[in-house]
């Protein structure tokens, strides 16, 4: 049975380290030339389009950049924008991506991108009128229609977002496995788990508050741990998954102490007969979940087998003798 351990610590999310942003296509509403889009439809199209075009890396994601040139506005109306991760939280000082779109589509049917800014609070100058303001923090995003009629306008956006920081250690000695571990992040939905991307160990994934399923893979065979976690708005959730695995070095020799035989086809089977590893070569190094295994080494028309055990945190040399080879 696969076991896992999770430890969660909370911290103020607005002090999380910044990450690079990756671009994705601008959501394009249906053409409606010469007329304003319905405000709710414009916002829904931005949000739906952005979520449908998420990139593969959780922590690096930032929504739509816009394919059209930014229209320069330097009007007399001031728009002061503030982003918060939670109700009652402090303003986010870094990591926000702001985009201001005009509400009337251009000739291609896309909302024109008027202004773009990154960082924390923004003080923008625009012409009077209505705009769709979109702000993102990693994968969390909010859009809203604003009507700028007064000389000075202030808008606060609450993203309902938090941070998720992942790590992996070896069970028994707490040795970090970050260098050889990958993490997949899934949204826990009502009927299934929807994969949204990957995140590196130690990197902070900026996510909408909610329930997530994490799968940690140590190596590329069967050393896997999983956990269900909850990301809270305005908080940093730290999760450490404990792996129980070891490393095996395989070689086929004629006699003890002999040279490894080249062109050996290796197959490793679990105790219940499932094949989990195949490779051809004189040597084979593999990370496996702790347990009992059988290895079959084939050279030319001869096969040789041996059983071995993998203990958590151990490095094992398994030497298979090929006495009938010659």
């Amino acid at each position: 049975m696969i076991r896992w351990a999770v430890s969660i610590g909370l911290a103020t999310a607005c002090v999380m380290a910044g990450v690079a942003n990756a671009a994705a296509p601008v959501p394009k509403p249906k053409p409606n030339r010469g007329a304003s889009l319905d405000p709710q439809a414009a916002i829904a199209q931005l949000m739906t389009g952005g979520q449908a075009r998420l990139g593969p890396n959780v922590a690096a994601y930032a929504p739509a950049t816009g394919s059209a040139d930014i229209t320069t506005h330097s009007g007399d109306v001031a728009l002061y924008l503030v982003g918060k991760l939670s109700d009652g939280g402090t303003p986010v000082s870094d990591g926000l991506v702001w985009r201001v779109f005009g509400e009337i589509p251009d000739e291609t049917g896309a909302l024109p991108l008027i202004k773009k800014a990154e960082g924390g609070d923004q003080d923008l100058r625009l012409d009077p009128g209505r705009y769709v303001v979109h702000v993102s923090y990693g994968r969390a995003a909010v859009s809203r229609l604003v009507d700028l009629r007064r000389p000075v306008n202030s808008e606060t956006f609450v993203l309902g977002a938090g941070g998720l920081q992942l790590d992996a250690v070896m069970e028994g000695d707490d040795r970090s496995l970050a260098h050889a571990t990958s993490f997949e992040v899934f949204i826990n939905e009502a009927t299934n788990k929807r994969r949204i991307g990957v995140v590196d160990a130690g990197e902070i994934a900026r996510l909408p508050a909610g329930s997530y399923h994490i799968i940690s893979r140590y190596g590329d065979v069967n050393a896997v741990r999983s956990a269900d976690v909850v990301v809270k708005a305005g908080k940093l959730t730290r999760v450490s998954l404990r792996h129980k695995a070891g490393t095996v070095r395989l070689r086929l020799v004629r006699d003890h102490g002999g040279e490894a035989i080249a062109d050996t086809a290796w197959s490793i089977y679990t105790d219940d007969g499932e094949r989990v590893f195949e490779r051809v070569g004189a040597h084979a190094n593999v990370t496996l979940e702790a347990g009992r295994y059988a290895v079959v080494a084939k050279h030319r028309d001869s096969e040789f087998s041996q059983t071995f055990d993998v203990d958590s945190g151990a490095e094992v040399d398994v030497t298979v003798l090929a006495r009938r080879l010659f």
Side-chain angles (χ1 to χ4, degrees):
M1 178 182 295
I2 294 178
R3 295 182 298 154
W4 49 267
V6 180
S7 61
I8 298 178
L10 300 179
T12 303
C14 64
V15 300
M16 294 188 292
V19 296
N21 291 317
V26 166
K28 291 187 177 181
K30 294 180 180 179
N32 188 13
R33 298 175 180 84
S36 298
L37 286 177
D38 175 75
Q40 296 304 318
I43 294 171
Q45 287 168 0
L46 274 175
M47 295 299 292
T48 303
Q51 291 298 320
R53 293 167 172 79
L54 297 179
N57 191 297
V58 173
Y61 175 72
T65 58
S67 58
D69 293 334
I70 295 178
T71 303
T72 302
H73 274 224
S74 56
D76 297 329
V77 175
L79 174 60
Y80 184 58
L81 299 172
V82 178
K84 296 182 178 181
L85 298 184
S86 62
D87 289 318
T90 58
V92 179
S93 60
D94 193 20
L96 298 176
V97 179
W98 298 93
R99 292 180 177 88
V100 179
F101 296 89
E103 69 162 341
I104 299 177
D106 60 21
E107 62 276 4
T108 69
L111 293 180
L113 179 61
I114 306 300
K115 284 187 180 292
K116 176 185 174 183
E118 299 183 17
D121 299 352
Q122 299 295 325
D123 188 359
L124 307 179
R125 295 296 182 269
L126 297 163
D127 295 333
R130 300 204 304 177
Y131 301 88
V132 175
V133 178
H134 181 279
V135 58
S136 64
Y137 188 76
R139 285 184 177 265
V142 176
S143 294
R144 185 159 73 233
L145 187 73
V146 298
D147 194 350
L148 305 185
R149 300 298 176 187
R150 300 184 302 272
V152 178
N153 303 265
S154 179
E155 297 284 343
T156 298
F157 289 73
V158 178
L159 289 113
L164 178 63
Q165 189 175 46
L166 302 171
D167 194 13
V169 297
M170 185 67 73
E171 185 175 287
D173 61 11
D174 288 339
R175 173 162 42 95
S176 175
L177 304 175
H179 66 287
T181 307
S182 63
F183 298 93
E184 291 181 279
V185 180
F186 298 77
I187 296 177
N188 272 333
E189 296 180 325
T191 57
N192 63 357
K193 292 178 172 61
R194 178 165 59 90
R195 184 182 185 275
I196 60 171
V198 298
V199 63
D200 295 330
E203 192 172 14
I204 294 174
R206 297 162 173 175
L207 299 167
S211 177
Y212 294 88
H213 183 72
I214 311 301
I215 293 180
S216 172
R217 300 183 187 277
Y218 175 44
D220 55 6
V221 183
N222 67 339
V224 179
R225 287 291 184 270
S226 64
D228 290 317
V229 300
V230 174
V231 173
K232 297 182 178 180
K235 302 294 182 180
L236 172 62
T237 300
R238 293 188 175 96
V239 180
S240 181
L241 289 92
R242 297 181 177 276
H243 282 271
K244 193 174 183 180
T247 301
V248 178
R249 294 182 290 266
L250 301 168
R251 64 189 190 123
L252 176 68
V253 299
R254 181 180 179 184
D255 297 300
H256 289 292
E259 293 293 326
I261 299 172
D263 298 324
T264 299
W266 298 96
S267 297
I268 296 178
Y269 298 85
T270 63
D271 205 27
D272 59 4
E274 179 187 2
R275 183 165 57 190
V276 295
F277 177 81
E278 287 184 293
R279 184 167 298 172
V280 176
H283 302 270
N285 298 334
V286 57
T287 298
L288 297 169
E289 180 81 4
R292 169 156 289 225
Y293 297 87
V295 59
V296 176
K298 182 177 181 180
H299 183 76
R300 296 177 183 171
D301 295 326
S302 299
E303 290 186 355
F304 310 92
S305 62
Q306 185 172 319
T307 60
F308 62 93
D309 293 316
V310 175
D311 296 323
S312 182
E315 295 185 3
V316 181
D317 289 307
V318 176
T319 302
V320 181
L321 292 177
R323 294 193 180 279
R324 301 191 306 276
L325 188 59
F326 300 100

